[in-house]
């Protein structure tokens, strides 16, 4: 009687599955080796969930509006979501979420950035200023006062980003003419069309020579 031979396809699939299982188990054992014992022993019933949480987050030390925060965050968390969802600083708006509207503009170490395109995990020890951090008590920042005076907003959704960019525009030396202001504010979209009033506000602050020294991080 002819001997029964193994199906080559079945052998290949079995070998592949064995390799995958080996890699998964090796990865788990390696992770366990570097996991603090206190974390493993923290809960008999949910130890696997705690290990997963530990492995899927990264530590972050960040200063926001003069206040230091030591956090554990998911590596994929954007700075915008960190500000809004974890720190409850909802003044910074999520507009397009693709870096095209400027509504999420904040200052990081004195430079304006689009927080929706910025990974929070890359901002270790950074100093972040949001719209909430501009005023000093009840005293508004000069740019905030100018926006109110010149009605530089209608629905107001883009206003936080416009104000943050307006301040940066002056600090960067790009507010020497109305044309230059328009050029360097072009990344901030106002769907209501308050551009003329926004330029008026920035121009007044620039020409007024208002001091920024008394406003932290600005």
């Amino acid at each position: 009687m002819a001997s029964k031979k193994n199906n080559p396809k079945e052998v290949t699939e079995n070998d592949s599955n064995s390799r995958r299982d080996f890699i998964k188990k090796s990865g788990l054992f390696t992770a366990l080796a570097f996991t603090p014992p206190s974390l493993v022993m923290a809960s008999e019933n949910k130890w696997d969930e705690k290990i997963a949480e530990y492995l899927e987050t990264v530590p972050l030390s960040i200063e926001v509006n003069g206040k230091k925060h030591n956090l554990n965050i998911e590596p994929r968390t954007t700075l915008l979501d960190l500000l809004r969802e974890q720190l409850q600083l909802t003044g910074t708006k999520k507009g397009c979420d693709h870096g095209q509207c400027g509504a999420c503009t904040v200052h990081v170490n004195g430079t304006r950035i689009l927080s929706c395109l910025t990974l929070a995990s890359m901002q270790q020890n950074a100093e972040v200023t949001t719209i909430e951090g501009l005023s000093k008590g009840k005293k508004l920042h000069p740019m905030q006062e100018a926006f109110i005076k010149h009605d530089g907003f209608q629905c107001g959704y883009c206003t936080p980003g416009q104000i943050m960019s307006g301040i940066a525009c002056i600090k960067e030396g790009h507010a020497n003419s109305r044309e230059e202001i328009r050029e360097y504010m072009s990344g901030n979209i106002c769907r209501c069309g308050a551009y003329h009033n926004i330029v008026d506000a920035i121009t007044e602050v620039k020409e007024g020579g208002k001091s920024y020294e008394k406003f932290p991080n600005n």
Side-chain angles (χ1 to χ4, degrees):
M1 182 175 64
S3 62
K4 184 177 179 181
K5 296 182 178 181
N6 290 328
N7 187 323
K9 183 177 180 180
E10 291 180 356
V11 173
T12 301
E13 290 178 350
N14 290 334
D15 289 344
S16 180
N17 289 334
S18 297
R19 284 194 294 271
R20 280 196 293 268
D21 290 340
F22 174 77
I23 291 173
K24 288 180 181 179
K25 292 177 181 178
S26 298
L28 177 59
F29 292 146
T30 301
L32 287 172
F34 288 97
T35 302
S38 58
L39 182 62
V40 178
M41 300 300 294
S43 172
E44 293 181 357
N45 295 327
K46 296 184 178 181
W47 66 271
D48 54 337
E49 295 179 10
K50 292 183 179 294
I51 291 174
E53 180 180 356
Y54 176 82
L55 296 175
E56 293 172 3
T57 61
V58 294
L60 173 67
S61 179
I62 191 170
E63 182 176 312
V64 182
N65 298 332
K67 182 178 180 180
K68 291 186 177 180
H69 300 272
N70 293 308
L71 309 164
N72 286 307
I73 63 171
E74 291 185 2
R76 63 183 179 180
T77 301
T78 64
L79 180 57
L80 175 59
D81 286 338
L82 173 69
L83 294 172
R84 290 181 57 83
E85 305 299 333
Q86 291 189 237
L87 301 183
Q88 305 305 310
L89 296 172
T90 55
T92 304
K93 302 304 181 185
K94 179 177 287 192
C96 65
D97 209 25
H98 287 81
Q100 297 177 354
C101 72
C104 67
T105 302
V106 299
H107 296 174
V108 175
N109 297 328
T111 301
R112 57 173 159 172
I113 61 99
L114 297 172
S115 59
C116 77
L117 297 183
T118 304
L119 287 175
S121 60
M122 301 299 292
Q123 308 309 309
Q124 191 69 243
N125 299 316
E127 295 182 5
V128 179
T129 304
T130 71
I131 191 70
E132 291 93 342
L134 293 183
S135 61
K136 187 174 183 180
K138 294 184 178 180
K139 177 62 177 177
L140 296 179
H141 189 284
M143 190 65 73
Q144 292 173 305
E145 293 178 338
F147 263 68
I148 293 173
K149 176 181 177 180
H150 293 280
D151 192 21
F153 50 86
Q154 290 183 30
C155 79
Y157 197 84
C158 74
T159 304
Q162 296 278 4
I163 289 175
M164 301 304 289
S165 281
I167 294 170
C169 192
I170 294 175
K171 290 180 65 178
E172 294 164 2
H174 299 311
N176 300 307
S177 67
R178 296 183 69 86
E179 291 72 24
E180 188 175 36
I181 291 172
R182 291 191 185 97
E183 173 67 23
Y184 284 89
M185 289 292 293
S186 60
N188 290 76
I189 296 174
C190 173
R191 298 189 185 281
C192 299
Y195 297 113
H196 185 83
N197 297 347
I198 291 171
V199 174
D200 286 343
I202 297 173
T203 299
E204 178 175 299
V205 177
K206 170 64 168 59
E207 293 179 350
K210 299 288 182 69
S211 173
Y212 290 86
E213 295 179 0
K214 60 182 178 179
F215 297 98
N217 303 320
N218 289 285

